[in-house]
Amino acid sequence: MLGACRPTPEPPPPAEPPASPLRDVSVRGSIPDEARVTDWVISATLDAEAHRVDATARLRWTNRGPEPVAVLPMHLYLNGFRAADTAWMREGLHAGRTSGIDVDHAWGWVDVTDIVRHAAPDDEGTEVSWAERDEPSLMDIELGEAVAPGQTVDLELTFSTQLPAVFARTGFAGPFHLVGQWLPKPCVQYDDGTFADDPFTFHSEFFSDFGHWKVTLDVPAKFVVGATGTRIDGSITGDRRVETYEADMVHHFAWAAGPDLVVWDGEHEGIRIRQLLPPDAVADAPLHHDAVVAALDSMQARFGPYPWSTITVIHPPPGASAAGGMEYPTLFTTNRRRQLPPLLEALGFRDRFSGAFVTIHEFGHQYFQGMLASNEFAQPWLDEGMNSLSNALVYLDRYADETDPWVVQLAGQSFSILDGVRVQQRFAGDLEAVDQSAAGFDPTVGGYGATVYRKTTAIMLTLRALAGAEAFDAALKAYAHKWRFRHPTGDDLVDALVEGIGETIEVSEPAPDGSVVRLSVRDYLRTTLSQADELDYAVREIGRQTGASTAGHHRAQDGSLRDDGPPSLDPTEAFAVIVRHGGLSVPVEIEATFDDGTSERVTWDGVDRHVTLTWPDRTLRRVTIDPDGRLFLEMRRTNNTRWAADVEPDETVEEVAADLAQAVALGLLAGVGP
Amino acid sequence: MIAALRRLAAIPGWLVGIWLAQVALAAGVGAIVRTTVAAAMDGDHIEPGARWLYALADLGLDHPAIAAAAAASIGVAAVAGLLAWTLVVGLLLARLRADTSTAAVLHTWWKTLPGIGAQSAWHVLMRGVMLLAALSTASALPPAAGWPLVWLVWSVAIVGLDVARTRVVDGARPLHPRTAAVAIIDVVRHPARFGPAVALAAAGTIVPLLVVWLGLSQLGGAMAPLAARAVALVGVGLGLWRLAVVVARTEPGDDD
Ligand SMILES: [Zn+2]
C-alpha cells in the first residue's frame, strides 16, 4: 500500500570497528573477576543453501561452585524447535505462535557430534560422553575426572545447527539468517553448586554466564554480517567471506548474515551503533539510531555506564519479521516502523512508538538481562518487567522538556506512555501472578505480556510515585550497580528497593489526631508481585446524611431530664462511600471538593473493602479517588469520580463520546452528499 | 462558475435544509451515544481534566457495547443520508435546470426517480473499479504522485455521477449503464468544461476529514459540535455549487 513520502537518506560512510569489545575501563568501570565463567573460541561455517551452521567450539568453563563437578549440564536451546513434543513447541502450539510456520522447514535443532576434553591447549584430548535428556533442550556432559572448585575445564564441542524457517526469534527467511541461540551452552551454576538446568519453554528466554568470545564466521562472500562484539578481522577468499568477532563479558554470541543488507554506522559517546537494514528500511535508520541514543542517555544516567563498545541493530528483511524484537548481548533485532495511511496522517495521527519502542525495549535488555543477568525461566518479570519500566523512563527522560510527553497523538489529543501502562494491564493482567516461572503462565489465557511487562511496570511506577521518584530511582540505581555482571533474583531486587527506600514510607500528611498512613515497602512488593489480582477503587455513593446531634432529653446533673430541643432531621453531613473492588490494596488519596469551591484530601489505607468518609456541616460537589493518578496499578479509572446529584459536572465522558460520534457521523454525511 | 453561484443564491432554502438535515441526523447519533455512555457509567464520571484518548479507551474496554452502539448508529445515519440524498437529488437537479412551477419540478422528479436510482447503482460499480485501478497504479508511483492521483480519480467520479444524474433529468436513457459510463468518460474528455466541477468535488472531499479532525481536536472543548457543524455547512455549499456548475455545463441531449 501507499505510504507517506519519505526520502531515503544516504548511509554515513562505513566506520572502522572499535579495537576492543569493551569501552575504556575509566568509562565503564571495573568488572569483577569472578563474573568470568565461560570463555569461547568458535569457528562456524554457514551453509546458506541448507541453512545449516557447522561449528567447533573450544569452551573453557570455570567451576565457581563449592563442590567438584563431574557432570556439566548444558542448554541446547535450539532443540526446543526440534519436534512437536518439546517443552517449547507444546506451549507454542497452544498459543498459536506457530501459525506462520513453514511446514517444509519447521524444525530446527543443534546436533552435537563430538566432545573432547583437553588438558593442555594443543593436546590430543580425550573423548567424553554426553547424553541429551528426554526434554532435548538440555544435555549432560560426563566430564570424567571431576572439576575441582575454582578449577577450569577445556572442552571442544563439534556440532551442527539446523535453522528452521523463522517463526520465532531464530531461523532463516530466504537468504537471510538470524543465528540466535545456536550453540550448546553450560547451565548457570548457583552459589550452592546446583545448576539452573531449566528447559527451554515458550515464554522463557535464556540464562547463561559471562565470558570472553572469539568467533570466526565463514559465510558466502556476498553476505553482510552483524554479530555480538566487535569485528577484529575480515577477508574474502573466493566466494567465501571470513570475519572474526571478539566480545567480552557477554553471556551469549548471536549473529545475522544475509545479502543486500545496508550498513548504517553511527556513534554515541564512543559507542559504535551499527545497523543492518534491508534497502527498503534504510529511511528508518535515523529513527532507530535516535532511539538507541535516547535509551543510552537515559539508562546510563539511571543504571550506570554501558560497558561495551558496540551495539548492533538488525532489521529483519521482509519475510523475517518473526525474528524481530529479540535481544542478545550487544546485538538485537528490531521491528519495522508502520507506514501510516495518509488518511490517518491527515487526521493528525503521529506516533513515537512504532519501530522506536521495540528498539528502546531491546536495547534496554542490554542492562536488564545483558548485565543484570537474571534467570529468565524462573523470573521473567525481573528482566522483561523491569526493562519495560526502564523503557517508560526512557520516554519520560527523552521528552522531559514537554509538558505532555505523548507517544501517540490524534488531532492534538495525546496518549502517553503511562496511559499505555494502565490500559495494557487490562488484557488479563489480573489473572496471573507476576512472580512465577515462565512455564507457569497459561499460554491459552495469554496474560503473559500484560502481567510480566505491564503489571511489573505499574507496580514499580506506583511505588515510585508513593515513595518519591528520587528515593526510588536511587534505590534502583544501587541495585543495578550492585548486581552488574551477576545473577540477581527477585528477592535481591526487593531487598535493594527496601534498603534504598526504607522499610516503610509515609504516604499521608499527619491527620489532626497525629496519625499517619504508612506503607510497608516489602509487603507492598510481596503482595503485588505474588497475587493474581487487581487494584480497583470506586466511589460508590456521595451525598448528605443526618449528622451527629445532641437534641432530645438528657439526664442533667441534678438528676432531672433536660430538654435539649427537637430533632433536626435535615441532613447536615456530607459523606462518601469508597469501595475496593480488587484484591490488592494500596493506600489511596481521596479528594473531596465542596460547594464553596474548597477541597480537601484524605488518605485511606485501603485495607477494608470499604470506607465511609464524612464531613460535618459541608456539602460535597465531587469526590475523586487518586486525583493525581499515582496508582498506576489501578487499571480502571472510569469509576474514580462521582459528582453530587444536583451538580452539573464540568465535563463528562458521555458528552465527549457524543461529540466525537456526532463529528464522525457528520463527516460521513458530508462524504455521501451532496 | 459565478453564474452557478448566482443560481444557487436563488434557492437558499436548499442549502439550509440539507445542512439542517445532516446536523439533525448527526445530533441523533450523538444522543444515542450520550444515552448509552451515561447508562454504562451509571453515575460514575471521568475525573476533571481527563486525558480523553485514555478515558475513551478505558470506557471502551469496560463497555465494548458502547463502541458497537456508536458504530451501528453512525452506520445507520450514513446509509440514511445516502438514501435520502439519492431520493432528493433529482428534485434539486430539476429545480436547478428549469425555473418552472413546483408541480412541474415534482413531476420531473417523480418521473426520473427510477433512473437516478439505477444510474447511482451502476455508478457505484464503476467507481469501485476506478478506485481499484487508481490504487494499483498509484502504488507503483512515489506516494507524492500516487495519492493525488487517487484523489483526482475520486473527484472525477463524483462529477461523473452528477453528470449522469443530470442527463437522466434531461431525458437520457435512465436504466442503461452506458449513461453512467459515458458521463464519466465525458468528464475526462472535457477538462475545460468539467474542470471547475472536479475542483469543487476535490475541495469537497476535504470536508469530511476536516469535520472529523475538528471533532477530535475539540474533544472536551466548548466548541466541539459547533465548529464541526460550521464546516459541514461549507461542505453542503461546495456540493450544491458543484451541482449547479454541472447542470449549467451539461447541455440537454448531449449524452451521445
Ligand atoms: Zn523483552
Side-chain angles (χ1 to χ4, degrees):
Chain A
M1 270 307 287
L2 297 167
C5 183
R6 279 180 305 145
T8 298
E10 266 305 300
E16 274 300 301
S20 163
L22 288 167
R23 295 168 83 189
D24 191 81
V25 66
S26 64
V27 180
R28 67 166 152 85
S30 62
I31 297 169
D33 272 348
E34 62 271 21
R36 185 181 303 280
V37 176
T38 53
D39 290 332
W40 299 83
V41 178
I42 301 175
S43 145
T45 302
L46 172 67
D47 181 336
E49 303 297 316
H51 312 295
R52 195 182 68 239
V53 179
D54 295 306
T56 56
R58 187 82 175 239
L59 161 66
R60 171 166 293 176
W61 181 79
T62 307
N63 181 3
R64 298 280 182 200
E67 306 287 338
V69 172
V71 177
L72 181 60
M74 305 272 285
H75 293 287
L76 299 170
Y77 284 119
L78 200 62
N79 280 352
F81 301 132
R82 198 173 74 177
D85 57 354
T86 66
W88 198 99
M89 288 297 271
R90 277 198 309 270
E91 284 187 47
L93 289 165
H94 280 311
R97 178 68 181 268
T98 46
S99 56
I101 216 159
D102 170 357
V103 290
D104 295 328
H105 302 279
W107 310 124
W109 62 84
V110 50
D111 189 20
V112 178
T113 52
D114 193 39
I115 303 179
V116 173
R117 179 173 175 170
H118 293 274
D122 298 318
D123 71 346
E124 286 268 300
T126 47
E127 297 272 341
V128 298
S129 65
W130 73 95
E132 281 176 8
R133 296 196 189 168
D134 291 342
E135 160 51 39
S137 61
L138 290 161
M139 74 168 182
D140 296 298
I141 302 178
E142 302 282 346
L143 294 171
E145 192 188 332
V147 181
Q151 296 302 301
T152 62
V153 60
D154 286 10
L155 299 170
E156 187 168 326
L157 298 98
T158 306
F159 60 93
S160 171
T161 297
Q162 178 61 52
L163 297 169
V166 63
F167 62 93
R169 300 177 186 148
T170 292
F172 71 90
F176 174 79
H177 296 77
L178 195 292
V179 191
Q181 293 288 341
W182 58 291
L183 74 163
K185 290 168 72 184
C187 298
V188 170
Q189 191 184 20
Y190 292 122
D191 289 344
D192 65 359
T194 59
F195 285 88
D197 53 347
D198 304 304
F200 183 31
T201 59
F202 176 65
H203 287 306
S204 76
E205 290 178 345
F206 314 107
F207 186 38
S208 306
D209 275 308
F210 294 94
H212 183 269
W213 300 69
K214 188 175 172 188
V215 183
T216 300
L217 302 170
D218 181 335
V219 302
K222 63 179 195 295
F223 278 23
V224 178
V225 178
T228 295
T230 187
R231 192 176 69 236
I232 54 171
D233 199 11
S235 64
I236 292 179
T237 313
D239 61 352
R240 301 296 292 180
R241 174 191 296 275
V242 178
E243 294 189 349
T244 302
Y245 286 80
E246 185 188 0
D248 201 10
M249 297 317 290
V250 294
H251 49 58
H252 187 62
F253 182 95
W255 52 292
D260 305 323
L261 292 171
V262 177
V263 177
W264 186 289
D265 276 333
E267 187 270 339
H268 185 66
E269 293 186 7
I271 301 158
R272 173 63 36 77
I273 303 169
R274 185 168 188 249
Q275 300 188 59
L276 266 57
L277 311 103
D280 65 332
V282 170
D284 290 341
L287 172 99
H288 291 273
H289 177 87
D290 292 350
V292 171
V293 169
L296 262 171
D297 285 346
S298 168
M299 297 189 78
Q300 291 203 100
R302 290 182 176 280
F303 311 119
Y306 181 77
W308 301 288
S309 63
T310 62
I311 180 76
T312 299
V313 187
I314 307 290
H315 298 251
S321 60
M326 182 59 206
E327 71 280 8
Y328 305 96
T330 79
L331 177 146
F332 62 86
T333 60
T334 189
N335 280 351
R336 293 262 158 152
R337 177 189 173 80
R338 243 190 335 270
Q339 284 291 336
L340 291 177
L343 207 63
L344 259 184
E345 290 199 357
L347 283 175
F349 186 93
R350 298 196 282 164
D351 89 290
R352 292 165 166 168
F353 193 82
S354 179
F357 181 81
V358 175
T359 286
I360 289 170
H361 178 83
E362 306 309 339
F363 177 84
H365 279 303
Q366 300 304 318
Y367 283 80
F368 292 96
Q369 228 293 308
M371 252 184 294
L372 302 158
S374 54
N375 184 339
E376 300 191 82
F377 174 85
Q379 291 182 304
W381 67 273
L382 202 50
D383 74 305
E384 294 297 357
M386 295 306 290
N387 182 30
S388 297
L389 167 71
S390 82
N391 305 152
L393 296 175
V394 168
Y395 273 91
L396 297 185
D397 290 345
R398 170 67 183 77
Y399 301 107
D401 54 342
E402 296 179 8
T403 47
D404 183 12
W406 50 270
V407 285
V408 172
Q409 252 192 353
L410 188 56
Q413 303 285 338
S414 299
F415 190 84
S416 75
I417 193 91
L418 301 178
D419 292 335
V421 169
R422 236 186 251 283
V423 166
Q424 286 171 312
Q425 288 176 78
R426 300 287 286 266
F427 301 94
D430 54 346
L431 296 179
E432 304 260 25
V434 169
D435 187 12
Q436 59 172 319
S437 90
F441 289 87
D442 184 340
T444 311
V445 167
Y448 181 76
T451 308
V452 168
Y453 294 64
R454 255 58 78 176
K455 194 173 181 183
T456 305
T457 306
I459 289 168
M460 295 300 161
L461 286 174
T462 302
L463 180 58
R464 187 172 185 258
L466 294 176
E470 208 173 308
F472 178 88
D473 292 351
L476 203 53
K477 187 172 197 165
Y479 164 77
H481 185 78
K482 179 175 179 182
W483 291 97
R484 264 166 98 84
F485 298 104
R486 295 171 69 187
H487 302 301
T489 65
D491 285 345
D492 297 325
L493 174 62
V494 171
D495 286 347
L497 289 173
V498 169
E499 192 177 319
I501 295 168
E503 285 287 344
T504 57
I505 45 181
E506 298 186 351
V507 290
S508 74
E509 300 291 315
D513 64 358
S515 65
V516 171
V517 178
R518 290 190 174 81
L519 173 72
S520 158
V521 174
R522 194 177 295 277
D523 287 351
Y524 165 79
L525 288 169
R526 192 172 293 144
T527 54
T528 53
L529 289 169
S530 66
Q531 285 182 18
D533 226 320
E534 69 169 312
L535 180 70
D536 183 26
Y537 294 114
V539 187
R540 187 168 188 270
E541 191 183 355
I542 78 172
R544 282 163 71 78
Q545 61 189 9
T546 306
S549 159
T550 54
H553 286 84
H554 298 86
R555 189 70 65 188
Q557 295 247 311
D558 63 1
S560 66
L561 271 182
R562 187 181 69 235
D563 184 356
D564 290 323
S568 162
L569 299 178
D570 292 336
T572 55
E573 180 178 81
F575 74 91
V577 181
I578 312 296
V579 297
R580 173 168 64 80
H581 290 312
L584 298 179
S585 74
V586 178
V588 59
E589 213 170 17
I590 293 144
E591 182 181 72
T593 306
F594 303 101
D595 61 348
D596 58 4
T598 60
S599 63
E600 187 181 304
R601 289 185 178 194
V602 290
T603 302
W604 175 41
D605 62 14
V607 172
D608 294 334
R609 289 308 292 255
H610 76 275
V611 67
T612 300
L613 305 170
T614 56
W615 295 271
D617 304 318
R618 308 293 303 264
T619 303
L620 279 170
R621 268 177 69 78
R622 166 178 62 80
V623 165
T624 293
I625 296 169
D626 188 24
D628 298 331
R630 299 195 298 170
L631 305 185
F632 294 95
L633 253 182
E634 198 190 14
M635 44 175 123
R636 184 175 289 103
R637 282 186 66 85
T638 41
N639 54 13
N640 278 26
T641 293
R642 279 207 176 222
W643 294 77
D646 55 348
V647 175
E648 185 70 25
D650 299 339
E651 48 191 358
T652 67
V653 73
E654 49 263 40
E655 284 304 324
V656 167
D659 286 351
L660 181 57
Q662 196 173 160
V664 174
L666 201 54
L668 274 174
L669 287 166
V672 298
Chain B
M1 289 280 276
I2 301 303
L5 204 55
R6 217 173 285 131
R7 183 116 193 84
L8 199 61
I11 49 167
W14 278 91
L15 175 69
V16 176
I18 292 170
W19 176 63
L20 283 180
Q22 288 186 348
V23 167
L25 259 177
V29 169
I32 290 171
V33 170
R34 185 182 301 108
T35 310
T36 314
V37 174
M41 291 296 282
D42 191 23
D44 283 328
H45 283 286
I46 301 288
E47 70 271 22
R51 308 170 57 76
W52 290 118
L53 290 185
Y54 166 72
L56 291 173
D58 202 14
L59 180 70
L61 284 166
D62 263 347
H63 306 286
I66 290 174
S73 54
I74 289 169
V76 167
V79 170
L82 187 65
L83 288 176
W85 177 242
T86 310
L87 282 176
V88 162
V89 65
L91 206 55
L92 175 64
L93 290 171
R95 182 74 183 74
L96 283 167
R97 172 58 83 211
D99 233 345
T100 52
S101 67
T102 308
V105 167
L106 278 172
H107 177 74
T108 309
W109 169 68
W110 182 247
K111 203 178 62 188
T112 57
L113 198 52
I116 284 185
Q119 291 310 316
S120 305
W122 287 123
H123 178 85
V124 166
L125 290 177
M126 292 173 196
R127 197 188 291 197
V129 173
M130 286 168 74
L131 188 64
L132 284 180
L135 282 171
S136 75
T137 310
S139 63
L141 297 172
W147 285 110
L149 175 74
V150 174
W151 191 19
L152 178 67
V153 168
W154 185 255
S155 305
V156 163
I158 289 172
V159 177
L161 178 59
D162 295 341
V163 171
R165 284 166 167 171
T166 306
R167 284 174 178 167
V168 169
V169 171
D170 289 338
R173 282 194 287 178
L175 303 179
H176 204 282
R178 190 183 151 80
T179 305
V182 167
I184 294 169
I185 292 166
D186 280 356
V187 174
V188 176
R189 278 177 50 195
H190 303 292
R193 203 156 118 206
F194 292 111
V198 173
L200 286 170
T205 55
I206 299 171
V207 169
L209 275 177
L210 195 56
V211 168
V212 176
W213 183 86
L214 276 170
L216 273 166
S217 66
Q218 298 293 313
L219 280 187
M223 293 292 292
L226 297 180
R229 284 171 186 167
V231 175
L233 178 61
V234 174
V236 176
L238 281 172
L240 294 185
W241 190 6
R242 186 191 76 232
L243 280 173
V245 169
V246 168
V247 169
R249 297 188 175 209
T250 312
E251 304 300 325
D254 75 347
D255 66 316
D256 265 325

